[in-house]
Amino acid sequence: MSTGAARIDSVRRARFERVAAEVYEPLQRYLRRRARPDDAADVLADTLLVVWRRLDDVPDEPLPWCYGVARRTLANHRRGADRRLRLVERTAAEPIAPANDDPQLAVDHADPDLDAAIATLSEAEHEIVHLWAWERLEPREIADVLDITPNAVSVALSRAKRKL
């Protein structure tokens, strides 16, 4: 790393430390009033990560801006918790298939042509097709699993279907 880059990093780090020192306690109180203590700590950490990533966007008076980030981060956290709860409820209602020690027997098909066709897919397409066909997930659910957009899942699934 050049000395110029090191200086920029140290200036950036020093600014973040000043902002974090100013907003940490107020954000902590704000989040504790709105979430469970363990959730509040996670959301605070995620909020400070956003502050670090968007440090160039932080205004001279950072607290109101950071409240906005914390509010949106908390909303995202709650939506994620709701999605996980719905997934648990949905999977709990589905019957559990008996365990099978032989991975070849665990596959729901026995068509060698299909196996050969699936083998031509990329690793990402293969995973998407399996989540869609075998796990019966919708593209938006696959997007949650793979941490990509639902549109990216739909495009990849369409390409994979054409290949197959």
Side-chain angles (χ1 to χ4, degrees):
M1 182 184 308
S2 70
T3 56
R7 180 170 164 12
I8 290 170
D9 281 350
S10 67
V11 168
R12 182 176 171 80
R13 185 173 35 256
R15 176 148 193 258
F16 174 76
E17 289 171 356
R18 282 191 308 275
V19 169
E22 181 178 336
V23 303
Y24 185 86
E25 289 297 324
L27 287 179
Q28 190 175 50
R29 287 190 305 270
Y30 173 84
L31 292 167
R32 282 186 177 162
R33 285 190 297 270
R34 287 160 177 77
R36 294 187 350 236
D38 55 329
D39 289 342
D42 289 343
V43 173
L44 179 59
D46 289 343
T47 300
L48 291 175
L49 180 60
V50 171
V51 170
W52 170 255
R53 287 181 179 157
R54 297 192 52 208
L55 193 57
D56 294 337
D57 298 332
V58 176
D60 292 335
E61 294 295 322
L63 189 57
W65 186 87
C66 291
Y67 277 141
V69 171
R71 189 176 126 280
R72 288 184 295 279
T73 303
L74 180 59
N76 288 340
H77 180 80
R78 287 179 175 152
R79 280 191 298 274
D82 290 346
R83 277 192 309 269
R84 286 186 296 277
L85 180 60
R86 285 191 310 271
L87 179 62
V88 167
E89 289 169 348
R90 192 177 71 238
T91 56
E94 293 179 10
I96 298 174
N100 196 331
D101 293 340
D102 185 352
Q104 285 299 90
L105 295 176
V107 177
D108 292 346
H109 61 83
D111 184 344
D113 292 334
L114 182 57
D115 288 338
I118 289 175
T120 66
L121 299 176
S122 71
E123 186 175 321
E125 292 169 331
H126 185 266
E127 182 67 12
I128 288 171
V129 166
H130 273 209
L131 289 169
W132 176 74
W134 280 272
E135 304 305 327
R136 296 185 175 102
L137 296 180
E138 296 294 322
R140 64 181 165 69
E141 296 168 319
I142 296 169
D144 288 340
V145 171
L146 301 178
D147 198 26
I148 59 177
T149 66
N151 187 48
V153 171
S154 295
V155 168
L157 189 56
S158 178
R159 285 184 190 146
K161 286 177 183 178
R162 274 196 309 268
K163 285 182 183 179
L164 293 174

